[in-house]
């Protein structure tokens, strides 16, 4: 059996393209439909109820496009909406990125101290602390909200003086004492584009992990388990939807995806009706 339908992936904006990049690499036979809710970004400063409502609309739109599995490539939305979306859209599997990110952090730490860099909303809800403690209750977790990283990433400013200064302001204080973490989880899908600046602001030798590769593994497992895998993509492999400024999405999105996005491949959609 081969299921040629696309996998739906969504984020508040372009950050989820860092997850799509790992999905494309891990699952070369699959097709993808990516939705960036660029009209309503950022999600990280909004209330949990608002983000959950946005995530429901994004999922509805992707399901109406006949996707076979949904990846919530946004930690902020995964943290508040995953448990409601999974039963609501069954049997379509819905996979979030917080558990995969937590698993990557737990696998990487040696001193059992993990720092989580995330949006204000993800930090406020404590989803990473719970997910890490579900795997190993003895790990110490410190959280740092880094909301400005989202704006810098969307601006295409993942490198340079401003990114370095922001990383120093947010990250360096975590390494002031003897209880410093040896692992930082990039708990927002926008943050991997700032990873060089974050690594320089952290103590030498600190491991930086994110959820992209582990999330792609979870998707691969789910496709096999549910009998949804494709044996060969037909036609265009990846299509993009954005709720605002599709030309900007195409111009800046390549930084996150690691390859060029053509303006003609990005379609404007309205989630208000979803
Ligand atoms: N990329 C998102 C995340 O992983 C959200 C960023 C935002 O919209 O604030 O949390």
């Amino acid at each position: 059996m081969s299921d040629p339908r696309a996998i739906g992936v969504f984020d508040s904006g372009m950050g989820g393209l860092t997850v799509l990049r790992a999905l494309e690499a891990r699952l070369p036979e699959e097709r993808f439909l990516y939705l960036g809710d660029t009209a309503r970004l950022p999600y990280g400063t909004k209330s949990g109820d608002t983000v959950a409502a946005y995530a429901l609309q994004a999922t509805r739109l992707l399901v109406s496009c006949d996707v076979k599995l949904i990846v919530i490539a946004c930690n902020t939305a995964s943290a508040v909406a995953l448990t409601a979306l999974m039963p609501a859209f069954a049997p379509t599997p819905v996979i979030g990125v917080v558990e995969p990110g937590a698993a990557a952090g737990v696998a990487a730490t040696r001193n059992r101290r993990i720092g989580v860099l995330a949006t204000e909303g993800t930090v406020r809800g404590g989803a990473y602390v719970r997910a890490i403690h579900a795997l190993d209750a003895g790990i110490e977790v410190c959280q740092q909200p880094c909301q400005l990283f989202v704006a810098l990433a969307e601006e295409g400013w993942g490198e340079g003086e401003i990114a370095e200064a922001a990383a120093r302001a947010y990250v360096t204080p975590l390494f002031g004492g003897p209880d410093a973490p040896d692992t930082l989880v990039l708990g927002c899908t926008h943050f991997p584009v700032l990873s060089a600046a974050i690594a320089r602001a952290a103590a030498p030798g600190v491991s930086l992990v994110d959820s992209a590769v582990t999330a792609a593994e979870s998707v691969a497992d789910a496709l096999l388990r549910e009998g949804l895998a494709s044996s060969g993509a037909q036609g265009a492999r990846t299509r993009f939807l954005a709720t605002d400024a599709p030309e900007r999405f195409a111009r800046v999105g390549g930084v996150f995806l690691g390859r060029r996005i053509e303006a003609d491949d990005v379609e404007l959609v309205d989630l208000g009706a979803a």
Side-chain angles (χ1 to χ4, degrees), residues 11-12 15 41-45 73-76 119 122 147 150 187-190:
D11 179 41
S12 59
L41 172 117
Y43 282 7
T45 52
C74 172
N75 290 271
T76 312
T119 63
T122 302
Q147 191 62 45
V150 177
C188 170
T189 55
H190 280 76

Side-chain angles (χ1 to χ4, degrees), residues 47-53 55 75-84 98 121-122 124-125 127:
S47 70
D49 286 351
T50 296
V51 173
N75 290 271
T76 312
S78 298
V80 295
L82 179 66
T83 49
V98 171
T122 302
R124 193 174 55 236

Side-chain angles (χ1 to χ4, degrees), residues 41-208:
L41 172 117
Y43 282 7
T45 52
K46 298 192 168 70
S47 70
D49 286 351
T50 296
V51 173
Y54 290 173
L56 178 62
Q57 289 178 322
T59 307
R60 274 197 195 127
L61 181 109
L62 289 170
V63 167
S64 76
C65 297
D66 196 30
V67 298
K68 60 183 174 183
L69 179 148
I70 303 276
V71 181
I72 311 177
C74 172
N75 290 271
T76 312
S78 298
V80 295
L82 179 66
T83 49
L85 295 180
M86 283 170 66
F89 290 91
T92 305
V94 183
I95 292 181
V97 286
V98 171
E99 274 77 16
V106 171
T109 185
R110 295 287 162 262
N111 72 3
R112 301 180 80 218
R113 294 193 191 106
I114 296 178
V116 175
L117 311 181
T119 63
E120 284 171 22
T122 302
V123 167
R124 193 174 55 236
Y128 262 99
V129 181
R130 286 192 297 280
I132 291 169
H133 284 162
L135 296 170
D136 183 340
I139 289 181
E140 267 178 47
V141 187
C142 58
Q143 302 190 91
Q144 174 67 279
C146 308
Q147 191 62 45
L148 183 58
F149 283 169
V150 177
L152 288 172
E154 287 279 329
E155 192 65 29
W157 286 4
E159 289 169 8
E161 254 176 70
I162 300 177
E164 298 283 336
R168 277 197 302 277
Y170 286 135
V171 177
T172 306
L174 300 178
F175 297 92
D179 295 340
D182 69 352
T183 299
L184 287 179
V185 175
L186 306 184
C188 170
T189 55
H190 280 76
F191 295 179
V193 298
L194 287 114
S195 57
I198 293 169
R200 273 193 285 276
V206 165
S207 304
L208 256 54

Side-chain angles (χ1 to χ4, degrees), residues 1 3 5 68-69 90-95 218-229:
M1 273 286 286
D3 190 332
R5 289 177 299 160
K68 60 183 174 183
L69 179 148
T92 305
V94 183
I95 292 181
S218 302
V219 172
D221 290 348
L223 290 176
L224 283 183
R225 198 173 53 241
E226 306 289 332
L228 294 172

